[in-house]
């Protein structure tokens, strides 16, 4: 079996990660792993706890593992469990040790860091409309700490999608010309 390339679509809240992931999966005729925490948090009856973050970490990994065999050469991941680390540190002051320990064990081949140039869209699961720039800086720092191969994707409408496709095509074929 050929290696499946894992491409992660990450970034602050309200940057279009889910929509981008679905678009890219359709474009590359493959599957997108949804963000596990969306469904998990939608079913919470109270505030998210530290244990909930641990549960979301395990859920995201399990969902990715379950969907990996369905990928057609590329697996598009709507976020990663790195989000658990970022949110835990923001909400609780620290991240679960098992998340920190596992980060280097689950690398992604390429990350698309979606820029904060989209207008904010309200959503019951979004918490920080005024901290998008702060979280963009956090994402840069975290990806750099992992020595991750990533690029920032900006643009509105179709331009944003086109920029993501160009970035992936260039990653897949470094000789690719725009």
């Amino acid at each position: 079996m050929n290696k499946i390339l894992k491409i992660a679509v990450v970034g602050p809240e309200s940057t279009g990660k889910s929509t981008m992931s679905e678009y890219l999966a359709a474009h590359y005729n493959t599957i997108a792993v949804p963000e596990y925490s969306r469904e998990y948090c939608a079913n919470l009856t109270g505030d998210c706890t530290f244990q909930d973050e641990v549960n979301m970490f395990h859920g995201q990994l399990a969902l990715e593992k379950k969907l990996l065999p369905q990928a057609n050469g590329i697996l598009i991941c709507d976020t990663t469990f790195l989000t658990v680390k970022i949110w835990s540190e923001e909400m609780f002051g620290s991240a679960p040790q098992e998340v920190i320990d596992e980060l280097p064990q689950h690398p992604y081949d390429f990350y698309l860091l979606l820029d904060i140039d989209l207008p904010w869209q309200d959503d019951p699961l979004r918490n920080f409309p005024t901290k998008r720039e702060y979280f963009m800086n956090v994402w840069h720092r975290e990806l750099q700490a992992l020595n991750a191969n990533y690029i920032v994707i900006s643009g509105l409408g179709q331009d944003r999608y086109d920029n993501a496709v160009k970035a992936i095509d260039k990653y897949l074929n470094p000789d690719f010309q725009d």
Side-chain angles (χ1 to χ4, degrees), residues 95-114:
Q97 190 60 47
E98 64 189 295
V99 171
I100 294 168
D101 293 344
E102 289 291 323
L103 276 172
Q105 308 306 315
H106 297 277
Y108 295 80
D109 296 288
F110 191 49
Y111 292 80
L112 303 179
L113 174 56
L114 300 191

Side-chain angles (χ1 to χ4, degrees), residues 23-58:
Y23 176 87
L24 292 172
H27 179 84
Y28 290 102
N29 191 33
T30 191
I31 191 159
V33 178
E35 182 181 9
Y36 180 81
S37 64
R38 280 208 145 267
E39 183 177 332
Y40 185 93
C41 290
N43 293 315
L44 285 178
T45 55
D47 290 339
C48 186
T49 67
F50 200 73
Q51 184 58 52
D52 289 321
E53 294 292 343
V54 172
N55 296 347
M56 287 184 270
F57 156 71
H58 288 292

Side-chain angles (χ1 to χ4, degrees), residues 12-92:
E13 295 176 309
S14 194
T15 54
K17 294 178 295 292
S18 297
T19 305
M20 178 66 78
S21 296
E22 292 166 11
Y23 176 87
L24 292 172
H27 179 84
Y28 290 102
N29 191 33
T30 191
I31 191 159
V33 178
E35 182 181 9
Y36 180 81
S37 64
R38 280 208 145 267
E39 183 177 332
Y40 185 93
C41 290
N43 293 315
L44 285 178
T45 55
D47 290 339
C48 186
T49 67
F50 200 73
Q51 184 58 52
D52 289 321
E53 294 292 343
V54 172
N55 296 347
M56 287 184 270
F57 156 71
H58 288 292
Q60 190 69 43
L61 281 180
L63 187 56
E64 196 174 292
K65 184 177 180 180
K66 175 184 171 189
L67 295 176
L68 186 66
Q70 298 175 39
N72 184 18
I74 298 173
L75 183 69
I76 305 294
C77 300
D78 177 0
T79 205
T80 72
F81 73 87
L82 179 55
T83 303
V84 170
K85 178 183 186 294
I86 291 170
W87 280 106
S88 295
E89 289 175 347
E90 181 67 22
M91 302 298 286
F92 305 109

Side-chain angles (χ1 to χ4, degrees), residues 162-163 165-171 173-178:
D162 292 346
N163 291 339
V165 167
K166 285 177 192 172
I168 292 171
D169 287 348
K170 186 168 182 160
Y171 172 77
N173 179 5
D175 296 328
F176 174 78
Q177 299 294 317
D178 294 335

